[in-house]
């Protein structure tokens, strides 16, 4: 076994530091363990991150493929890149917006930056985004609106310092096990408390001191009920509100009564009181996809921030802390030129645009003047035949997007370039496949959810002819715009130096972070404007507050609850929600073939009894207005009556879901849609009439 090399886990956004080693015999990655010297996680790790790094179960892509005669056939890199760039250049000549580019939170900072450089600087398209919009865009929009800048104020250092931990619409026990252990330990210490807000009895909820179960889609109403209770009881931190916020009076004026808002959420006023009273102590409010993936995601995230502002839960040991899903969602937001230019430079700022054009040596007029319609609406443009060519990198939209049948048809009609490490649902539709390196084979950096930048290193070479994402992107970029990059293979440190230069002096300043510094310190939080600086609690410096808004004050909001986009009715009487299953992440590609097993739906026994004719030998069919899927059934009282829970890791599940999006963030409403259940097709089966709405 070779010497162990430090790296960072790319499974989720906790950013655990790892040590990895390859076999001395065959060059395989054979051992991964926690790095006790890593400043973020100090040796902690989850077994799933280790196992998915050492031995992913999926089929690797090892040679370029090109579609001939209806099937994907091996080809060489020159042919594949020639076909790709020819089609891209033809589309650009017609209109830069005739090209769509879809990136990923699984890319390194360097690869994400390079993809944005190609999409915005070489192609010049508005139709560019990353799959991070599917999970984090509502939190991003809320932070920007409230504080004038993206990213949570707290860090991991604040978790043990907090007394109350409110986990709202998230299940870190499954999605972020290491972080969950910190929360659990802090809540168990002294007079600490863990409150979970979730319609489902998740593993995190099972560990909680209190579990509050609102009606799906009513989180904003419940958050407003809690704030109304805080106001009614005089528990507002008037000093903080007066000195450091604006818009409070309008927020109070917009609040419903506690009783009315609690009734909307189907939560008792007593439960509202318990949450409000708990916020008197130093509190962290965490939230995840249960909040973000909603047409009211931004409004709800703003309401949770309002709770922190009103109760003075801002500062060390407290505050609003969104839980990021994908490993490098944060780095994608800082580096990739999606909604902002590198360093969170505003997209419409003329000086920022000039700086970017000069740094990339591209015409200023080529840079698009708007960031584009977002991931979901880009696919809609593909479906309308307004975009002819689509290039996906390290993402699987056919399985991971809402209304997946619509997505499949849209991508099938386009010229589809898929760059990935593994065979996926999206690869099956590709016209050209570009094989890429994965964890343990890639060089670069990543940024975890508390803003720490750390190295990603290669212990082994990628298999076959697979190449680093950064090199593939640069090769394509140079063929579109000569000299955009050095000739591949690139030194990722040189690319990171470009990022450092473009972020210097910005909100997300990385200029003081270098590969040499990371070799010594392993991980450094931004903003880091100098070689010895590191970011701490955001907007707070030695007791002084300064937010990135024009007034320097944090902003309250006035959002109010509205009806879910697809309410249940007589034809579709049940509510579908989705969540992560143990041992699987994202679309489940790395965990390999499920052997054809049906996804398992969790359904309350009372619901099963009311719809008994729809079940046959432990199976049923879940149908929405868009599709239907056959499932195995697990009677489970963790799920409330009237709800169906399904895992997100099967492509067929998202054929059921709804493509309605939040108007501020364009994040889709993946957590709620109306469904019905019916018996699977069997010989001599009779049809059943829909059951009335519950």
């Amino acid at each position: 076994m070779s010497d162990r090399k430090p790296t960072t886990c790319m499974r989720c956004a906790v950013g655990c530091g790892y040590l990895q080693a390859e076999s001395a015999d065959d060059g395989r990655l054979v051992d991964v363990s926690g790095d006790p010297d890593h400043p973020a996680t100090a040796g902690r790790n989850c077994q799933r991150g280790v196992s998915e790094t050492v031995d992913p179960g999926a089929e690797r892509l090892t040679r370029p493929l090109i579609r001939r005669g209806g099937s994907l056939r091996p080809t060489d890199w020159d042919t594949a890149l020639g076909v790709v760039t020819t089609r891209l250049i033809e589309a650009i000549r017609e209109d830069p917006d005739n090209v769509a580019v879809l990136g990923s939170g699984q890319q390194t900072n360097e690869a994400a930056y390079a993809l944005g450089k190609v999409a915005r600087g070489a192609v010049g398209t508005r139709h560019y985004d990353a799959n991070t919009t599917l999970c984090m865009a509502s939190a991003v929009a809320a932070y920007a609106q409230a504080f004038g800048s993206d990213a949570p104020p707290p860090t991991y250092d604040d978790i043990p310092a907090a007394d109350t931990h409110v986990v709202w619409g998230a299940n870190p026990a499954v999605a972020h096990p290491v972080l969950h252990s910190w929360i659990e330990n802090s809540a168990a210490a002294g007079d600490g408390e863990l409150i979970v807000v979730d319609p489902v009895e998740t593993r995190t909820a099972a560990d909680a001191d209190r579990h509050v179960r609102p009606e799906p889609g009513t989180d904003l109403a419940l958050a407003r009920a809690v704030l109304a209770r805080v106001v009614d009881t005089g528990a507002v931190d008037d000093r903080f509100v007066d000195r450091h916020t604006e818009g409070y009076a309008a927020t109070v004026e917009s609040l419903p009564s506690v009783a009315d808002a609690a009734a909307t959420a189907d939560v008792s006023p007593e439960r509202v009181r318990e949450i409000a009273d708990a916020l008197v102590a130093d509190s962290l409010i965490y939230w995840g996809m249960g909040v973000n993936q909603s047409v009211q995601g931004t409004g709800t995230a703003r309401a949770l921030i309002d709770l922190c502002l009103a109760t003075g839960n801002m500062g060390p040991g407290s505050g609003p802390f969104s839980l990021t899903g994908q490993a490098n969602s944060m780095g994608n937001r800082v580096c990739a030129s999606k909604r902002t230019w590198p360093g969170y430079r505003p997209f419409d700022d003329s000086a920022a645009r000039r700086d970017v054009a000069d740094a990339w040596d591209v015409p200023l007029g080529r840079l698009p003047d708007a960031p584009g319609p977002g991931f979901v609406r880009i696919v809609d443009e593909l479906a309308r035949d307004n975009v002819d060519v689509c290039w996906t990198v390290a993402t699987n939209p056919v399985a991971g997007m809402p209304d997946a049948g619509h997505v499949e048809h849209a991508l099938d009609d386009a010229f589809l370039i898929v760059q990935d490490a593994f065979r996926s649902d999206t690869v099956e539709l590709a016209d050209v496949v570009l094989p890429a390196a994965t964890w343990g084979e890639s060089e670069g950096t990543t940024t975890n959810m508390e803003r720490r930048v750390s190295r990603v290193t290669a212990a082994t070479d990628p298999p076959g002819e697979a190449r680093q994402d950064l090199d593939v992107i640069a090769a394509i970029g140079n063929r579109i715009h000569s000299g955009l990059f050095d000739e591949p293979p690139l030194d990722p440190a040189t690319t990171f130096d470009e990022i450092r230069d473009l972020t210097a002096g910005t909100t997300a300043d990385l200029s003081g972070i270098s590969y040499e510094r990371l070799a010594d310190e392993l991980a450094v939080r931004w903003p880091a404007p100098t070689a010895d600086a590191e970011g701490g609690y955001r907007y707070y410096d030695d007791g002084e507050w300064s937010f990135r808004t024009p007034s320097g004050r944090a902003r309250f909001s006035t959002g109010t609850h509205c009806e879910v986009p697809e309410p249940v009715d007589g034809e579709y009487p049940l509510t579908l929600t989705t969540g992560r299953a143990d041992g699987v992440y994202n679309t489940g590609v790395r965990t390999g073939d499920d052997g054809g097993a049906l996804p398992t739906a969790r359904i309350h026994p009372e619901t099963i009894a009311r719809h008994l004719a729809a079940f046959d030998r432990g199976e049923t069919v879940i149908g929405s207005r868009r599709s239907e899927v056959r499932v195995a059934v697990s009677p489970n009282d963790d799920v409330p009556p009237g709800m169906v829970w399904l895992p997100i890791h099967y492509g067929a599940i998202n054929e059921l879901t709804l493509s309605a999006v939040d108007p501020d963030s364009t994040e889709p409403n993946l957590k709620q849609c109306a469904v019905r259940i019916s018996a699977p097709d069997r010989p001599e089966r009779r049809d059943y009439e829909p059951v009335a709405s519950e």
Side-chain angles (χ1 to χ4, degrees), residues 116-125 341 360 362-363 366-368 481 484:
K117 187 176 179 179
V118 174
R120 302 303 200 188
V123 177
T125 184
W341 300 112
W360 292 349
V362 299
R366 185 182 294 167
L367 300 182
H481 181 97
L484 192 67

Side-chain angles (χ1 to χ4, degrees), residues 343-476:
Y344 293 147
R345 295 168 180 260
F347 209 86
D348 58 356
D349 182 87
S350 58
R353 289 166 56 80
R354 281 194 300 272
D355 288 345
V356 170
D358 289 346
W360 292 349
D361 195 20
V362 299
L364 177 62
R366 185 182 294 167
L367 300 182
D369 57 5
F375 207 108
V376 172
R377 297 303 174 234
I378 288 172
V379 172
D380 289 344
E381 291 299 300
L382 282 157
R384 297 186 188 106
D385 294 326
N386 292 333
V387 178
D388 290 337
V389 179
C390 182
W391 175 18
T392 70
V393 181
T395 187
N396 186 16
V398 171
M401 288 188 67
D403 195 2
H406 168 72
V407 176
E408 182 173 353
H409 291 308
L411 295 180
D412 200 24
D413 288 343
F415 184 83
L416 180 61
I417 306 154
V418 177
Q419 182 174 324
D420 211 330
F422 300 101
R423 196 108 186 182
S424 70
D425 307 75
T426 304
V427 166
E428 301 308 317
L429 302 180
D431 294 285
V432 179
V433 177
L434 307 175
T438 186
W439 316 343
E441 307 159 1
S442 297
E443 292 284 344
T445 58
T446 186
T447 312
N448 74 357
M449 72 174 81
E450 64 149 359
R451 297 176 273 115
R452 280 193 195 264
V453 179
S454 59
R455 282 297 312 276
V456 176
T457 61
T460 68
D461 293 327
E465 299 174 29
R467 295 181 179 180
Q468 300 268 328
D469 269 329
L470 179 60
D471 294 332
V472 178
I473 293 163
I476 294 171

Side-chain angles (χ1 to χ4, degrees), residues 128-321:
Y128 163 58
D129 203 353
N131 57 17
T132 53
T133 296
L134 304 178
C135 59
M136 290 308 301
S138 295
V140 169
Y143 286 136
Q145 291 172 11
F147 303 135
S149 179
D150 177 21
T155 73
Y156 294 164
D157 296 339
D158 298 302
I159 296 175
D163 295 312
T164 297
H165 301 265
V166 180
V167 177
W168 200 305
N171 187 13
V174 168
H176 305 100
V178 170
L179 183 139
H180 176 70
S181 69
W182 298 333
I183 295 173
E184 193 175 20
N185 290 341
S186 178
D191 296 325
E193 185 173 16
L194 172 59
I195 299 172
V196 172
V197 180
D198 198 306
V200 176
E201 178 84 13
T202 62
R203 276 185 49 196
T204 305
D207 293 335
D209 298 291
R210 304 179 195 276
H211 179 200
V212 181
R213 305 178 75 160
E215 183 74 17
T218 64
D219 296 278
L220 179 52
L222 178 57
R224 286 310 191 203
V226 176
L227 183 54
R229 169 74 189 188
V230 168
V231 171
D232 289 350
T233 57
V236 174
D237 186 334
D238 293 319
R239 186 172 184 272
F240 181 86
V241 169
D242 291 344
R243 291 189 176 190
H244 305 299
T245 74
E246 60 188 10
Y248 173 70
T251 297
V252 172
E253 183 67 24
S254 71
L255 289 175
S257 71
V258 173
D260 287 348
T264 298
D266 195 24
V267 171
S268 71
E270 176 64 18
R271 298 302 253 169
V272 171
R273 181 191 66 76
E274 290 171 354
I275 300 173
D277 289 353
L279 297 179
V280 172
D282 288 343
S283 303
L284 283 165
I285 300 180
Y286 315 82
W287 73 92
M289 302 310 101
V291 168
N292 292 335
Q293 291 177 336
S294 161
V295 294
Q296 298 185 101
T298 301
T300 305
R302 289 290 307 273
L304 299 180
I305 293 170
D306 289 346
L307 281 172
C308 293
L309 297 176
T311 57
N313 274 301
M314 294 291 295
S318 64
F321 202 162

Side-chain angles (χ1 to χ4, degrees), residues 46-108:
C46 75
Q47 188 55 44
R48 284 159 290 185
V50 170
S51 61
E52 285 188 21
T53 304
V54 173
D55 188 25
E59 179 184 347
R60 285 301 301 270
L61 298 168
T62 61
R63 295 183 63 184
L65 306 173
I66 193 165
R67 189 168 296 280
R68 292 193 178 100
S71 62
L72 289 169
R73 299 178 182 274
T75 189
D76 58 82
W77 272 104
D78 282 343
T79 299
L81 291 174
V83 171
V84 165
T85 52
T86 297
R87 292 303 297 263
L88 285 169
I89 290 169
E90 288 173 349
I92 294 165
R93 284 174 179 160
E94 182 177 329
D95 183 345
D97 289 340
N98 201 22
V99 174
V101 181
L102 302 175
S104 167
Q106 295 294 317
Q107 297 174 268
T108 62

